Amino acid sequence: MFSQEKFENDHGRQAEEDERSEESYTEEEYLKEDQPEEANPEGLEESDPEAGGIDYDPFTDDEAGPSPSPRESDGKCEKLFSLECSFCLRLYRSQLRPKENFSAQISGDSVQEVVANMWESGKSLIKREVMFENGIPKWAPDEIPGKESAEKFLIVYDVTAHKSYATTNLTPKKLQKWCNQIVKVFVYAYSKEVETKGQYGDVLKYLINPKNPDRAGANSMREEAALAKELREQNPHLEGHSSSWLLWATTIYAASAHEQEALKEAQHPPINISKYFRWVGVSEAARLDSVHRGMVVGNTDNYRWSKQIREVKEELHTAFNIIQGAIRKVEIMEAESNASIDILSAMESAVQPEESELSQQ
């Protein structure tokens, strides 16, 4: 049981704490209790347009819809627009079933950025721009087209609506509609100027195919041999076998027609056949060093052969000495044989039997 004194002490301590808590409760907190509750009882944050939220104005056009945010709520799309593009190569505009080469995820925060990313992904399928003058195809001045030429090489095709759009006709509304959908991007190898199969045939005839083909359709051996000779004369700093120069010429003719002139003027062969050539110095010091190295190599080779010749000579001398010894032994044996013959002949004459009367009967 608690004592009465302890109970009184505890009661006095509790009274002091209550007085202290009432003094710390300020007037502002009393005023807050008298104010009405806010209109957002669930604690939802209001959208802030500057913070990236949706700013909805009921007096604006409902068809435009709310402006999309740069990042989706689920975190899947980091850019404002994201498309799944299937890139298809077209050799001419009227080609019905173009080949699908690859797919890529294209994204961007603006139409220009999306088109630029489409160009970066599809430029590997582009050859060179072709222009027609009086029905004759010619190469455009720019050998390598840039991204500013995307309108001439790219067309976006909506698979769902079956509509084609030029890159200049793309709008944010269309890109937002295609977000996370598959669209086709037709890439024209020689630009949209090549419209029909006949025009593509003219491109092959005048610009791509060899001018003097052989029976197999390739360049003739005479042209390749002439080009190999020309390459040898233009590149005195390189040395190689005749087959190496011919291989270089064949590689040039195997490339695209618009790339052949640049390959002919190159100061070095392509990297895949460079191992068949070696560099030759053109300065006097380099030539002198090359001659010195050649002499060293030749002298080393001659010394090796001289050593072998000396060894053969010594072996021949040894064999000659052996033969001479054998000849001397044969001569000695021949002399002994002759001496034996003489002795036996003398003995034969000495012991020859005499005739008697009995032997004559």
Side-chain angles (χ1 to χ4, degrees), residues 294-340:
M295 290 183 177
V296 171
V297 173
N299 190 21
T300 303
D301 188 66
N302 290 335
Y303 176 78
R304 183 173 60 86
W305 284 108
S306 299
K307 183 179 179 181
Q308 294 181 1
I309 292 173
R310 286 196 303 269
E311 292 177 355
V312 173
K313 183 179 179 180
E314 292 176 358
E315 292 177 357
L316 289 175
H317 277 295
T318 303
F320 183 71
N321 293 332
I322 294 174
I323 293 174
Q324 284 184 341
I327 291 174
R328 285 194 297 269
K329 289 183 179 181
V330 170
E331 291 177 350
I332 293 172
M333 293 174 65
E334 185 180 8
E336 291 181 353
S337 177
N338 293 332
S340 298

Side-chain angles (χ1 to χ4, degrees), residues 103-122:
S103 299
Q105 188 75 23
I106 305 299
S107 58
D109 292 329
S110 63
V111 176
Q112 292 77 12
E113 185 177 357
V114 171
V115 174
N117 292 335
M118 285 183 181
W119 174 265
E120 290 297 326
S121 298

Side-chain angles (χ1 to χ4, degrees), residues 45-117:
E45 296 180 359
E46 295 181 357
S47 60
D48 187 4
E50 297 180 356
I54 299 176
D55 185 14
Y56 178 72
D57 188 358
F59 299 98
T60 57
D61 189 5
D62 293 336
E63 294 181 358
S67 60
S69 60
R71 185 183 297 272
E72 293 183 356
S73 59
D74 55 358
K76 294 182 180 179
C77 180
E78 296 182 355
K79 295 290 186 177
L80 186 61
F81 307 110
S82 179
L83 313 175
E84 182 68 24
C85 296
S86 176
F87 289 84
C88 304
L89 176 63
R90 264 186 170 176
L91 301 176
Y92 50 92
R93 293 195 67 174
S94 60
Q95 186 176 357
L96 297 179
R97 295 178 179 84
K99 178 182 178 182
E100 181 178 349
N101 293 78
F102 60 89
S103 299
Q105 188 75 23
I106 305 299
S107 58
D109 292 329
S110 63
V111 176
Q112 292 77 12
E113 185 177 357
V114 171
V115 174
N117 292 335

Side-chain angles (χ1 to χ4, degrees), residues 180-199:
N180 296 325
Q181 294 184 5
I182 298 178
V183 296
K184 287 187 177 182
V185 179
F186 294 136
V187 182
Y188 294 88
Y190 303 101
S191 77
K192 294 187 289 187
E193 291 290 329
V194 185
E195 297 184 355
T196 63
K197 187 176 181 180
Q199 289 182 335

